[in-house]
Amino acid sequence: MSLIMKDVRLTYPDGDRRLVALDDVSLTVEPGEIVAVTGPSGSGKSSLLAVAGALVTAESGTVAVAGTDVTGLGQKDRDRLRRDRVGFVFQQANLLAALTALDQLLLVAHVTGAPKAAARTRAMELLDYVGLAAKAHRRPGRLSGGERQRVAVARALMGEPALLLVDEPTSALDAERGHDVIALLRDATRERRTATVVVTHDLRHLDLLDRAMEMRDGTLTPS
Ligand code: ADP
Ligand code: MG
């Protein structure tokens, strides 16, 4: 299993009280499986991804990523696990304006210390995979919104993640581009054997995915 979350609880300070963001959330995702998480704004979807990707530590419960129990790790080991095993894609592609599509990917390899020639080969292979080989040398300003999200997906795949966490990737896109990005994530999940969690508002895409879960007030249930 690439992601196992069991009875995860997370709260944030909220004045004199605490706001329960995740209320005993359990979720298991296997390699090659893509799961949707839907639910209203403020229900805890992004918090779920933050805990799954070891960005935030759960108050109680367990989280295991690619067979490693995250809950027991110190900060350094958690950072390493996230870097080596987790890919993130956010609502906005968060690309650096000054870098070409290719360089966005090479930056990841630079951070992880991957050998340069191999990184370049892999980056070009991934840009080709997301349909952007011909635009590898364009900066974000000369890419469409859909293309920028494709670069973000390719970048998230650079480190060969076991876990791919995607937060509302289509909210800035029209229906057709949104559909294409979700289809790309599904294909990548199958072909690259990631365990993928996609937070989405758009119920039209759900038929492309394996399962849908719904978050309400910090509680996750099958929908
Ligand atoms: P969603 O992604 O479904 O919109 P979030 O996980 O972002 O929901 O937020 C869940 C709840 O936790 C919301 O009420 C939000 O205001 C609150 N929240 C999120 N992040 C923080 C934070 N860093 N500090 C305090 N409250 C937060
Ligand atoms: Mg959110």
Side-chain angles (χ1 to χ4, degrees), residues 6-19:
K6 207 163 176 344
D7 300 330
V8 168
R9 187 177 167 81
L10 177 73
T11 65
Y12 296 112
D14 182 32
D16 295 335
R17 314 187 316 148
R18 295 195 70 89
L19 187 149

Side-chain angles (χ1 to χ4, degrees), residues 12-13 19 21 40-47:
Y12 296 112
L19 187 149
S41 178
S43 59
K45 305 182 298 298
S46 295
S47 299

Side-chain angles (χ1 to χ4, degrees), residues 127-139:
L127 287 173
D128 185 42
Y129 182 71
V130 302
L132 288 175
K135 298 182 178 173
H137 300 291
R138 289 199 187 188
R139 294 193 174 84

Side-chain angles (χ1 to χ4, degrees), residues 88-101:
F88 290 96
V89 179
F90 297 105
Q91 186 166 359
Q92 301 292 334
N94 290 321
L95 302 178
L96 298 167
L99 296 188
T100 65

Side-chain angles (χ1 to χ4, degrees), residues 64-87:
V65 173
T68 301
D69 183 353
V70 176
T71 7
L73 296 181
Q75 179 79 36
K76 223 174 170 178
D77 287 332
R78 262 200 303 134
D79 290 347
R80 188 176 304 123
L81 178 80
R82 185 185 328 114
R83 195 191 65 197
D84 294 344
R85 308 305 277 146
V86 185

